[in-house]
Amino acid sequence: MLGPGDDAAIVATPDGRVVATVDVLVDGVHFRTDWATGEQIGRRAALAAMADVAAMGAAPTALLVGLSAPPGTPTELVMAIGRGLNEEAVRAGAGVVGGDLTRSEVLTVAVTVLGDLRGAEPVRRSGARAGDVVAVAVLSRGFRSPAAAVGAYRVPEPPLAAGIVAASSGATAMIDVSDGLLADLGHIAVSSGVAIEVVTARLPLNPRLVEVASALGRDHLQWALTGGDDHALAATFPHGAVLPPGWTAIGAVRTGSGVTVDGAPWDQPAGWDHFG
Amino acid sequence: MLGPGDDAAIVATPDGRVVATVDVLVDGVHFRTDWATGEQIGRRAALAAMADVAAMGAAPTALLVGLSAPPGTPTELVMAIGRGLNEEAVRAGAGVVGGDLTRSEVLTVAVTVLGDLRGAEPVRRSGARAGDVVAVAVLSRGFRSPAAAVGAYRVPEPPLAAGIVAASSGATAMIDVSDGLLADLGHIAVSSGVAIEVVTARLPLNPRLVEVASALGRDHLQWALTGGDDHALAATFPHGAVLPPGWTAIGAVRTGSGVTVDGAPWDQPAGWDHFG
């Protein structure tokens, strides 16, 4: 790796392959500067992008950050975002190796993450087989909107290693839950050509989500099934496999197609449309 | 490499290292949708980012694209940007392997480029030595503003191989000219701990730039020395080296510090401040 003074970074890839993904977070869409500090925004951005690498069963090694900020943005905010990104990267065993800073009317953080498979095969979305167990691992707790949940929104807890241990435990398919659990399980179902059954009684619910949903008269189950803000990985494991720490079985893979919840096809909106 | 359906792409890196860089282009700052088609925007974004990899002496292998667009953006514009990115990537021997699409109030294209050194050592900014020849290779012609030059603005001509041939011809230092020729030569001077002399009579001037500057009563030399829009690489080569095709000698490296133009220290604004 070269320092920030060169045109590009050089990252070691002893595996002979590199895992690469990009995630863009936009002020007012994915975060709000009035709800979160720069450091928290940086940490969320790093975590969201690193989760995509973890979902392949790889370890994050390097981050590149494209930061766009309005003229007049306090230097301290930009520095704080950088600190947050770097802290989360270092916690995951990676580092920020490069970036681009430009002006824009909207604060935008584009994070590219490179990752290392360490000789293992990547876990794709297409490997689920009938009979497999469906499981989730929560990477961080959060909500998109209720003001009462701002505390939870702010604090990511990123056991990114959940992806790596899933891969080494024989996970047959894996995905980063970013569109909502059902929507993302649907992606596995389509890619693998299988049906997926979810049993809601098994969902590892966030007690704060249940509490806030109840206070607001909303359905906590629908939030848990369709919200994109509780950062998690979903994976399938062979029948009878011992799930690694951090993973909770929530259902099963069957022949067929589509996703069912407690035996019924899910007919609610499946997730959060980031582009809608 | 995996298809676009997985969380991350897998890119082969037989060299055991990967070159990585990110470049962000913002509507109204780096391009204007009323001056350029989506395809042209995509091509410019790909070229700008790939030039950073070329400036290390590496060949681009894979692009990841983070695209943010306002709600209501015509799908055709988004598709056209993607086509332009892919066309330019393929011309350079690379491909678009992943991306993220999200909404924002401002159309923003963040392009990450991965590159392969093919066993060669990266060409850094810090390797220039007194006695070296300073040279430039123009990657594409363009202007930032005059309406009369819209045609030139729109058409990138990307001989990105200029970076690779420079590396194999023994270039001692290299940089992507994005801040303006003098500003970027200044980066080499600082990193290498040397002085750089530029001889304006040797600059490979764009005839259209001379014509437009003259019509507008502006100084074409100042544009050539400080404009960031004529996309180029600058490099230093050992004294007596035969410059590879596409490269033009424009000066020399001396002991000392700073950049001089025709023997005098340059006291004009050194470049375009993307963040100002």
Side-chain angles (χ1 to χ4, degrees), chain B residues 161-183:
Chain B
I164 300 168
V165 297
S168 60
S169 300
T172 52
M174 188 153 49
I175 193 166
D176 172 41
V177 177
S178 56
D179 294 335
L181 179 59
L182 294 183

PDB file of all heavy atoms in Angstrom, chain B residues 161-183:
ATOM      1  N   ALA B 161      -2.761   3.429 -22.323  1.00  0.00           N
ATOM      2  CA  ALA B 161      -1.537   2.634 -22.374  1.00  0.00           C
ATOM      3  C   ALA B 161      -0.308   3.509 -22.197  1.00  0.00           C
ATOM      4  O   ALA B 161       0.780   2.999 -21.906  1.00  0.00           O
ATOM      5  CB  ALA B 161      -1.468   1.867 -23.691  1.00  0.00           C
ATOM      6  N   ALA B 162      -0.445   4.835 -22.353  1.00  0.00           N
ATOM      7  CA  ALA B 162       0.693   5.739 -22.161  1.00  0.00           C
ATOM      8  C   ALA B 162       1.342   5.512 -20.800  1.00  0.00           C
ATOM      9  O   ALA B 162       2.562   5.617 -20.662  1.00  0.00           O
ATOM     10  CB  ALA B 162       0.260   7.193 -22.311  1.00  0.00           C
ATOM     11  N   GLY B 163       0.539   5.218 -19.793  1.00  0.00           N
ATOM     12  CA  GLY B 163       1.089   4.984 -18.460  1.00  0.00           C
ATOM     13  C   GLY B 163       1.889   3.698 -18.392  1.00  0.00           C
ATOM     14  O   GLY B 163       2.952   3.634 -17.785  1.00  0.00           O
ATOM     15  N   ILE B 164       1.370   2.666 -19.038  1.00  0.00           N
ATOM     16  CA  ILE B 164       2.059   1.369 -19.002  1.00  0.00           C
ATOM     17  C   ILE B 164       3.367   1.434 -19.788  1.00  0.00           C
ATOM     18  O   ILE B 164       4.400   0.951 -19.321  1.00  0.00           O
ATOM     19  CB  ILE B 164       1.127   0.265 -19.564  1.00  0.00           C
ATOM     20  CG1 ILE B 164      -0.147   0.201 -18.712  1.00  0.00           C
ATOM     21  CG2 ILE B 164       1.838  -1.077 -19.583  1.00  0.00           C
ATOM     22  CD1 ILE B 164      -1.246  -0.628 -19.328  1.00  0.00           C
ATOM     23  N   VAL B 165       3.334   2.074 -20.972  1.00  0.00           N
ATOM     24  CA  VAL B 165       4.577   2.151 -21.748  1.00  0.00           C
ATOM     25  C   VAL B 165       5.593   3.044 -21.041  1.00  0.00           C
ATOM     26  O   VAL B 165       6.806   2.789 -21.115  1.00  0.00           O
ATOM     27  CB  VAL B 165       4.352   2.627 -23.210  1.00  0.00           C
ATOM     28  CG1 VAL B 165       3.479   1.628 -23.959  1.00  0.00           C
ATOM     29  CG2 VAL B 165       3.785   4.023 -23.283  1.00  0.00           C
ATOM     30  N   ALA B 166       5.120   4.065 -20.341  1.00  0.00           N
ATOM     31  CA  ALA B 166       6.060   4.904 -19.582  1.00  0.00           C
ATOM     32  C   ALA B 166       6.754   4.076 -18.519  1.00  0.00           C
ATOM     33  O   ALA B 166       7.977   4.165 -18.336  1.00  0.00           O
ATOM     34  CB  ALA B 166       5.322   6.088 -18.946  1.00  0.00           C
ATOM     35  N   ALA B 167       5.969   3.257 -17.818  1.00  0.00           N
ATOM     36  CA  ALA B 167       6.557   2.424 -16.765  1.00  0.00           C
ATOM     37  C   ALA B 167       7.594   1.473 -17.349  1.00  0.00           C
ATOM     38  O   ALA B 167       8.700   1.326 -16.812  1.00  0.00           O
ATOM     39  CB  ALA B 167       5.458   1.645 -16.050  1.00  0.00           C
ATOM     40  N   SER B 168       7.253   0.852 -18.491  1.00  0.00           N
ATOM     41  CA  SER B 168       8.188  -0.124 -19.055  1.00  0.00           C
ATOM     42  C   SER B 168       9.365   0.570 -19.735  1.00  0.00           C
ATOM     43  O   SER B 168      10.374  -0.069 -20.033  1.00  0.00           O
ATOM     44  CB  SER B 168       7.466  -1.079 -20.013  1.00  0.00           C
ATOM     45  OG  SER B 168       6.885  -0.356 -21.068  1.00  0.00           O
ATOM     46  N   SER B 169       9.255   1.897 -19.964  1.00  0.00           N
ATOM     47  CA  SER B 169      10.387   2.657 -20.513  1.00  0.00           C
ATOM     48  C   SER B 169      11.240   3.264 -19.414  1.00  0.00           C
ATOM     49  O   SER B 169      12.101   4.101 -19.681  1.00  0.00           O
ATOM     50  CB  SER B 169       9.881   3.768 -21.444  1.00  0.00           C
ATOM     51  OG  SER B 169       9.144   3.234 -22.513  1.00  0.00           O
ATOM     52  N   GLY B 170      10.931   2.922 -18.161  1.00  0.00           N
ATOM     53  CA  GLY B 170      11.797   3.353 -17.070  1.00  0.00           C
ATOM     54  C   GLY B 170      11.407   4.650 -16.391  1.00  0.00           C
ATOM     55  O   GLY B 170      12.237   5.259 -15.700  1.00  0.00           O
ATOM     56  N   ALA B 171      10.153   5.100 -16.568  1.00  0.00           N
ATOM     57  CA  ALA B 171       9.728   6.338 -15.907  1.00  0.00           C
ATOM     58  C   ALA B 171      10.079   6.277 -14.420  1.00  0.00           C
ATOM     59  O   ALA B 171       9.869   5.257 -13.761  1.00  0.00           O
ATOM     60  CB  ALA B 171       8.229   6.543 -16.093  1.00  0.00           C
ATOM     61  N   THR B 172      10.625   7.374 -13.900  1.00  0.00           N
ATOM     62  CA  THR B 172      11.069   7.391 -12.499  1.00  0.00           C
ATOM     63  C   THR B 172       9.983   7.917 -11.569  1.00  0.00           C
ATOM     64  O   THR B 172       9.962   7.611 -10.380  1.00  0.00           O
ATOM     65  CB  THR B 172      12.332   8.265 -12.369  1.00  0.00           C
ATOM     66  OG1 THR B 172      12.078   9.545 -12.976  1.00  0.00           O
ATOM     67  CG2 THR B 172      13.512   7.608 -13.068  1.00  0.00           C
ATOM     68  N   ALA B 173       9.069   8.753 -12.100  1.00  0.00           N
ATOM     69  CA  ALA B 173       7.934   9.266 -11.334  1.00  0.00           C
ATOM     70  C   ALA B 173       6.807   9.531 -12.317  1.00  0.00           C
ATOM     71  O   ALA B 173       7.046   9.783 -13.502  1.00  0.00           O
ATOM     72  CB  ALA B 173       8.295  10.551 -10.592  1.00  0.00           C
ATOM     73  N   MET B 174       5.556   9.467 -11.835  1.00  0.00           N
ATOM     74  CA  MET B 174       4.433   9.721 -12.749  1.00  0.00           C
ATOM     75  C   MET B 174       3.245  10.197 -11.939  1.00  0.00           C
ATOM     76  O   MET B 174       3.083   9.835 -10.769  1.00  0.00           O
ATOM     77  CB  MET B 174       4.090   8.462 -13.554  1.00  0.00           C
ATOM     78  CG  MET B 174       3.065   8.696 -14.655  1.00  0.00           C
ATOM     79  SD  MET B 174       3.199   7.531 -16.060  1.00  0.00           S
ATOM     80  CE  MET B 174       3.263   5.941 -15.251  1.00  0.00           C
ATOM     81  N   ILE B 175       2.404  11.017 -12.608  1.00  0.00           N
ATOM     82  CA  ILE B 175       1.197  11.526 -11.941  1.00  0.00           C
ATOM     83  C   ILE B 175       0.123  11.775 -12.989  1.00  0.00           C
ATOM     84  O   ILE B 175       0.416  12.084 -14.145  1.00  0.00           O
ATOM     85  CB  ILE B 175       1.520  12.835 -11.156  1.00  0.00           C
ATOM     86  CG1 ILE B 175       0.383  13.207 -10.195  1.00  0.00           C
ATOM     87  CG2 ILE B 175       1.845  13.984 -12.108  1.00  0.00           C
ATOM     88  CD1 ILE B 175       0.785  14.267  -9.177  1.00  0.00           C
ATOM     89  N   ASP B 176      -1.111  11.593 -12.578  1.00  0.00           N
ATOM     90  CA  ASP B 176      -2.271  11.960 -13.390  1.00  0.00           C
ATOM     91  C   ASP B 176      -2.481  13.468 -13.251  1.00  0.00           C
ATOM     92  O   ASP B 176      -2.569  13.973 -12.135  1.00  0.00           O
ATOM     93  CB  ASP B 176      -3.495  11.195 -12.853  1.00  0.00           C
ATOM     94  CG  ASP B 176      -4.787  11.642 -13.508  1.00  0.00           C
ATOM     95  OD1 ASP B 176      -4.784  11.856 -14.730  1.00  0.00           O
ATOM     96  OD2 ASP B 176      -5.793  11.760 -12.788  1.00  0.00           O
ATOM     97  N   VAL B 177      -2.525  14.175 -14.372  1.00  0.00           N
ATOM     98  CA  VAL B 177      -2.717  15.625 -14.309  1.00  0.00           C
ATOM     99  C   VAL B 177      -4.204  15.912 -14.157  1.00  0.00           C
ATOM    100  O   VAL B 177      -4.972  15.820 -15.103  1.00  0.00           O
ATOM    101  CB  VAL B 177      -2.172  16.329 -15.566  1.00  0.00           C
ATOM    102  CG1 VAL B 177      -2.463  17.828 -15.487  1.00  0.00           C
ATOM    103  CG2 VAL B 177      -0.680  16.089 -15.691  1.00  0.00           C
ATOM    104  N   SER B 178      -4.618  16.185 -12.925  1.00  0.00           N
ATOM    105  CA  SER B 178      -6.035  16.461 -12.696  1.00  0.00           C
ATOM    106  C   SER B 178      -6.220  17.817 -12.024  1.00  0.00           C
ATOM    107  O   SER B 178      -7.264  18.427 -12.144  1.00  0.00           O
ATOM    108  CB  SER B 178      -6.664  15.358 -11.834  1.00  0.00           C
ATOM    109  OG  SER B 178      -5.952  15.220 -10.624  1.00  0.00           O
ATOM    110  N   ASP B 179      -5.207  18.297 -11.317  1.00  0.00           N
ATOM    111  CA  ASP B 179      -5.320  19.590 -10.638  1.00  0.00           C
ATOM    112  C   ASP B 179      -4.790  20.728 -11.506  1.00  0.00           C
ATOM    113  O   ASP B 179      -4.931  21.899 -11.151  1.00  0.00           O
ATOM    114  CB  ASP B 179      -4.526  19.575  -9.325  1.00  0.00           C
ATOM    115  CG  ASP B 179      -5.110  18.616  -8.302  1.00  0.00           C
ATOM    116  OD1 ASP B 179      -6.322  18.340  -8.391  1.00  0.00           O
ATOM    117  OD2 ASP B 179      -4.371  18.153  -7.432  1.00  0.00           O
ATOM    118  N   GLY B 180      -4.170  20.403 -12.647  1.00  0.00           N
ATOM    119  CA  GLY B 180      -3.474  21.392 -13.465  1.00  0.00           C
ATOM    120  C   GLY B 180      -2.018  20.964 -13.559  1.00  0.00           C
ATOM    121  O   GLY B 180      -1.444  20.456 -12.603  1.00  0.00           O
ATOM    122  N   LEU B 181      -1.428  21.167 -14.736  1.00  0.00           N
ATOM    123  CA  LEU B 181      -0.080  20.639 -14.986  1.00  0.00           C
ATOM    124  C   LEU B 181       0.925  21.108 -13.942  1.00  0.00           C
ATOM    125  O   LEU B 181       1.682  20.308 -13.381  1.00  0.00           O
ATOM    126  CB  LEU B 181       0.377  21.045 -16.396  1.00  0.00           C
ATOM    127  CG  LEU B 181       1.789  20.578 -16.787  1.00  0.00           C
ATOM    128  CD1 LEU B 181       1.902  19.064 -16.727  1.00  0.00           C
ATOM    129  CD2 LEU B 181       2.141  21.091 -18.181  1.00  0.00           C
ATOM    130  N   LEU B 182       0.947  22.430 -13.659  1.00  0.00           N
ATOM    131  CA  LEU B 182       1.958  22.937 -12.721  1.00  0.00           C
ATOM    132  C   LEU B 182       1.710  22.429 -11.311  1.00  0.00           C
ATOM    133  O   LEU B 182       2.648  22.092 -10.593  1.00  0.00           O
ATOM    134  CB  LEU B 182       1.974  24.465 -12.741  1.00  0.00           C
ATOM    135  CG  LEU B 182       2.439  25.083 -14.054  1.00  0.00           C
ATOM    136  CD1 LEU B 182       2.492  26.599 -13.936  1.00  0.00           C
ATOM    137  CD2 LEU B 182       3.799  24.534 -14.465  1.00  0.00           C
ATOM    138  N   ALA B 183       0.444  22.398 -10.910  1.00  0.00           N
ATOM    139  CA  ALA B 183       0.132  21.904  -9.568  1.00  0.00           C
ATOM    140  C   ALA B 183       0.580  20.454  -9.429  1.00  0.00           C
ATOM    141  O   ALA B 183       1.157  20.050  -8.414  1.00  0.00           O
ATOM    142  CB  ALA B 183      -1.364  22.025  -9.292  1.00  0.00           C
TER     143      ALA B 183
END
